[in-house]
Amino acid sequence: LKDRGSITIYDNEKIKNIRREERTRVLNNKSWGFGSFSISDDIAVKGSKSECFVDEATYKKGIYVRSWLNGDKVELSNGHHKKVSDIFIDGKIPLFKKKLYPVVEDAFNNIIWIPGLFKANIPSRKIKKILLKWEE
């Protein structure tokens, strides 16, 4: 795959085995593609897009990870929507990584986080929160 002046060689069969059309529940030390998730009840806010807070009730209902699907959209804080493919373009994510990149959603299929690229505007309430972290 030639992309932005670099060449990546990969085994297409291995990519098919890693890419997941089905969503999987996010658990502590859950690996996905080229990174992994960790979960804690850490209350320190660092403001990084590689971290996302969700309230405990949302977490208990289920937080899921899946691959990007054509047509995926996120809701921005101003009420408008943006295609996930445009977020990947803005973040200069190569096609190879785009196929493996995690898209995190709640139990109602709302995309709440794309690590390093997008976080949904979750209202700050005085309730217990769970910190999700993504590390490559």
Side-chain angles (χ1 to χ4, degrees):
L1 171 69
K2 183 178 177 189
D3 185 59
R4 292 184 182 87
S6 65
I7 295 176
T8 304
I9 298 173
Y10 64 93
D11 183 341
N12 202 32
E13 288 304 311
K14 287 185 180 178
I15 297 301
K16 286 179 187 174
N17 293 335
I18 294 172
R19 182 177 162 89
R20 299 175 178 108
E21 300 289 331
E22 304 269 327
R23 62 189 202 159
T24 306
R25 192 162 189 141
V26 174
L27 301 171
N28 204 24
N29 298 317
K30 174 77 176 172
S31 62
W32 183 271
F34 51 88
S36 64
F37 291 95
S38 62
I39 298 168
S40 70
D41 54 4
D42 183 0
I43 58 170
V45 179
K46 297 180 179 93
S48 167
K49 286 188 179 179
S50 293
E51 298 176 347
C52 180
F53 280 101
V54 294
D55 62 73
E56 188 176 33
T58 301
Y59 180 76
K60 285 182 178 180
K61 288 178 188 172
I63 298 295
Y64 299 91
V65 62
R66 62 170 173 80
S67 296
W68 161 74
L69 299 173
N70 196 12
D72 276 346
K73 291 183 180 180
V74 296
E75 186 174 349
L76 304 175
S77 57
N78 61 8
H80 292 92
H81 291 83
K82 187 171 187 174
K83 292 180 185 178
V84 172
S85 59
D86 290 341
I87 292 172
F88 285 146
I89 290 168
D90 294 346
K92 298 186 176 166
I93 303 300
L95 181 62
F96 171 72
K97 276 192 169 183
K98 191 187 301 189
K99 292 181 178 184
L100 302 174
Y101 215 90
V103 174
V104 180
E105 60 186 14
D106 64 13
F108 304 104
N109 300 326
N110 299 314
I111 297 173
I112 58 171
W113 184 39
I114 303 170
L117 301 173
F118 169 81
K119 281 193 284 192
N121 196 11
I122 300 170
S124 179
R125 294 177 274 184
K126 301 263 183 187
I127 54 176
K128 185 174 180 183
K129 294 181 181 175
I130 306 294
L131 176 63
L132 306 175
K133 293 182 185 179
W134 167 257
E135 295 177 29
E136 286 189 53

